């Protein structure tokens, strides 16, 4: 598994999760540094990873691209004219590398890119104010966004246009599809709503102790949340009750959670989870231990920076056909129809 984390100090951090060399058969793991450097001119706001590719967005209006197997930079994209607020990849189950990159910004727009090579296809104005979060359906045909205009929107990615827009009456900070795409989650302050994807009907709602800053869907109907309570909580989305919790997982706010995923969007190891905190610490957990007692992290790395986001790719990275040579023209690529 590879992890990337962004920080307020404009640095991007890359790590590879590996077994300890002297204990290859044990459960002890180590986070080996891949790279760390100042990749942006302003603080990093969002990160995404899929297969061999990773991306980071920043308040400097740019998206930077990375090749994880070679731990190298692939250039940058400059289509946005305001702060990038969210980035995400879409990877079809049949491919080991992403097909599309979607990004959102503070001016309410969403950019859609092809990833082989990285070519700008279209920009869609979705919200009247900044987009807070973006989630792509597992089919790749649609995406959901929430914004500071207190609205939920749906994007038709086949036609490249907004197909649905409704007022929520309150601002949602996060939106996430579950692994099967049958439901989605919306976070508002400390509350999390579970909705049917077909008609947005509210199924259940649960309330965390404090404001939720990060969330990630897991297998078997679980949703993992973290935030100002410094805990990592696993929720049963069917009952709206806590399945288990890692109390005091970090000494500061939890800013990112990643569940280990394979390239086919299924859980490779449903018991492995990574988290990042604003105190600069990244930890990897065995969730089986948290069901019984407070666990110790399997691996830990301290970046000594104020982390803002975390993203992860699968354990077994397959080298794709995307090369740096394909990306040289990406910043100047023509806009699609």
């Amino acid at each position: 598994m590879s992890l990337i984390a962004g920080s307020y100090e404009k640095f991007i951090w890359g790590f590879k999760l590996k077994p300890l060399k002297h204990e290859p058969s044990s459960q002890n793991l180590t986070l080996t540094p891949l790279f760390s450097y100042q990749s942006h001119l302003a603080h990093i706001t969002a990160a995404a990873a899929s297969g061999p590719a990773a991306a980071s967005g920043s308040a400097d209006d740019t998206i930077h691209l990375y090749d994880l197997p070679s731990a190298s930079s692939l250039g940058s994209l400059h289509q946005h004219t305001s702060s990038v607020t969210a980035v995400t990849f879409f990877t079809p189950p049949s491919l080991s590398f992403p097909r599309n990159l979607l990004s959102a910004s503070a001016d309410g727009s969403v950019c859609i890119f092809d990833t082989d090579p990285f070519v700008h296809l279209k920009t869609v104005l979705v919200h009247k104010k900044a987009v807070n979060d973006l989630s792509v359906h597992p089919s790749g045909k649609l995406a959901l966004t929430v914004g500071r205009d207190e609205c939920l929107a749906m994007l038709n990615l086949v036609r490249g246009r907004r197909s649905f827009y409704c007022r929520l009456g309150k601002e949602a900070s996060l939106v996430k599809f579950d692994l099967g795409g049958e439901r989605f989650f919306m976070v508002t302050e400390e509350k999390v709503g579970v909705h049917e994807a077909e008609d947005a009907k509210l199924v259940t709602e649960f309330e965390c102790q404090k404001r939720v800053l990060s969330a990630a869907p897991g297998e078997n109907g679980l949703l993992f949340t973290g935030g100002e309570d410094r805990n990592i909580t696993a929720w049963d989305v069917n009952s709206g009750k806590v399945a288990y919790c890692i109390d005091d997982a970090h000494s500061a706010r939890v800013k990112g959670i990643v569940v280990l995923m394979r390239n086919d969007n299924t859980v490779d190891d449903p018991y492995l989870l990574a988290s990042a905190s604003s105190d600069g610490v990244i930890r990897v957990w065995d969730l089986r231990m948290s069901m019984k007692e407070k666990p110790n992290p399997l691996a830990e790395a301290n970046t000594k920076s104020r982390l803002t986001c975390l993203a992860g790719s699968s354990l077994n990275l397959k080298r794709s056909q995307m090369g740096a040579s394909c990306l040289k023209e990406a910043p100047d690529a023509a806009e699609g129809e």
Side-chain angles (χ1 to χ4, degrees):
M1 184 179 188
S2 293
L3 296 171
I4 66 164
S7 71
Y8 279 109
E9 290 79 11
K10 313 168 191 176
F11 270 70
I12 191 74
W13 302 81
F15 294 92
K16 180 75 173 180
L17 184 63
K18 296 180 178 180
L20 291 177
K21 292 184 178 179
H22 61 282
E23 299 180 37
S25 61
S26 74
Q27 295 297 314
N28 293 320
L29 303 172
T30 180
L31 284 170
T32 303
L34 289 176
F35 51 80
S36 63
Y37 66 96
Q38 184 176 325
S39 60
H40 289 274
L41 299 177
H43 67 274
I44 297 175
T45 54
S50 179
S56 62
S58 167
D60 65 4
D61 306 352
T62 66
I63 300 168
H64 279 243
L65 307 168
Y66 314 91
D67 181 69
L68 295 175
S70 63
S72 61
S73 172
L74 294 176
S76 57
L77 303 170
H78 300 267
Q79 270 69 31
H80 286 290
T81 57
S82 59
S83 298
V84 179
T85 57
V87 289
T88 187
F89 285 107
F90 167 65
T91 304
S94 59
L95 298 180
S96 61
F97 56 90
R99 174 181 291 171
N100 295 104
L101 170 68
L102 278 76
S103 59
S105 72
D107 63 4
S109 67
V110 171
C111 286
I112 306 171
F113 300 88
D114 194 341
T115 60
D116 193 12
F118 280 92
V119 175
H120 180 219
L121 300 177
K122 193 165 188 177
T123 296
V124 183
L125 184 59
V126 183
H127 290 270
K128 297 177 181 179
K129 295 183 180 180
V131 180
N132 288 334
D133 198 21
L134 168 71
S135 182
V136 179
H137 190 270
S139 67
K141 295 181 179 180
L142 60 91
L144 293 177
T145 61
V146 290
R148 296 192 67 181
D149 56 2
E150 300 183 351
C151 291
L152 167 71
M154 178 185 294
L155 277 173
N156 183 328
L157 298 180
V158 177
R159 298 189 175 185
R161 66 185 187 187
R162 190 180 73 183
S163 58
F164 176 79
Y165 186 73
C166 73
R167 182 167 294 277
L168 301 172
K170 51 187 176 181
E171 181 181 340
S173 57
L174 298 173
V175 62
K176 305 290 180 187
F177 277 107
D178 67 5
L179 297 183
E182 298 175 353
R183 294 178 176 180
F184 67 90
F185 316 103
M186 278 197 300
V187 175
T188 305
E189 295 291 338
E190 70 280 357
K191 293 183 179 180
V192 181
V194 183
H195 300 259
E196 294 287 355
E198 185 175 357
D199 55 8
K201 179 183 177 181
L202 180 65
V203 177
T204 186
E205 187 178 58
F206 45 87
E207 188 169 347
C208 302
Q209 296 178 11
K210 294 184 179 181
R211 186 183 179 191
V212 176
L213 302 176
S214 56
E219 202 175 42
N220 300 322
L222 292 180
L223 176 70
F224 297 93
T225 63
E228 293 183 350
D229 60 4
R230 306 178 183 181
N231 303 332
I232 297 173
T233 306
W235 296 88
D236 184 331
V237 299
N238 295 312
S239 66
K241 297 181 179 180
V242 176
Y244 51 88
C245 180
I246 304 177
D247 293 320
D248 297 320
H250 290 271
S251 61
R253 296 174 297 171
V254 179
K255 298 300 293 287
I257 296 176
V258 173
V259 179
L260 175 59
M261 305 292 287
R262 283 204 307 252
N263 289 324
D264 56 2
N265 290 332
T266 60
V267 178
D268 195 26
D269 184 344
Y271 306 110
L272 202 59
L273 178 144
S275 59
S277 171
S278 56
D279 63 1
V281 175
I282 300 172
R283 288 174 174 160
V284 179
W285 307 90
D286 185 339
L287 296 176
R288 290 170 294 186
M289 301 301 297
S290 65
M291 300 177 190
K292 303 176 182 179
E293 58 187 14
K294 184 177 179 179
N296 292 319
L298 296 177
E300 182 176 310
N302 191 348
T303 64
K304 298 181 180 180
S305 62
R306 294 174 295 169
L307 297 181
T308 58
C309 52
L310 181 71
S313 187
S314 61
L315 270 175
N316 299 315
L317 288 175
K318 297 179 181 179
R319 184 71 178 184
S320 75
Q321 299 301 314
M322 295 189 306
S325 60
C326 297
L327 303 171
K328 290 181 179 179
E329 302 301 323
D332 301 319
E335 183 176 328
E337 295 294 323

